Amino acid sequence: MSMQELEITIDNEGRVLVHVSGVKGEECLALTKNLENAVGDVQERSFSSDYYEKPVEVSHYQRTGLR
């Protein structure tokens, strides 16, 4: 599993910019929801190519029997 990272920048005019990395699909929206609610209305949103990829889901762990 890759590391999920939020980079938050506040510019000179008080705008909050958030860059999400290490996340595939719509999970990035869930990660930023509370932050967006705290700072106000979203004025602009753009998505990286990771947003359009489907997250890899691991349903269970298979034991190999190696010791």
Side-chain angles (χ1 to χ4, degrees):
M1 177 180 214
S2 64
M3 181 171 66
Q4 299 174 344
E5 186 173 338
L6 295 176
E7 179 182 334
I8 302 168
T9 306
I10 303 172
D11 69 10
N12 292 338
E13 296 176 7
R15 290 181 294 214
V16 178
L17 309 169
V18 180
H19 175 78
V20 179
S21 59
V23 179
K24 305 275 187 216
E26 295 181 358
E27 188 177 344
C28 61
L29 297 175
L31 287 175
T32 61
K33 183 178 181 174
N34 288 337
L35 180 61
E36 291 173 4
N37 290 339
V39 298
D41 295 328
V42 174
Q43 294 180 353
E44 182 180 337
R45 180 173 302 189
S46 61
F47 298 106
S48 70
S49 60
D50 288 342
Y51 175 81
Y52 300 100
E53 291 184 33
K54 292 186 178 188
V56 176
E57 294 184 26
V58 178
S59 58
H60 66 278
Y61 177 77
Q62 183 177 1
R63 196 164 185 200
T64 62
L66 298 175
R67 294 183 192 259

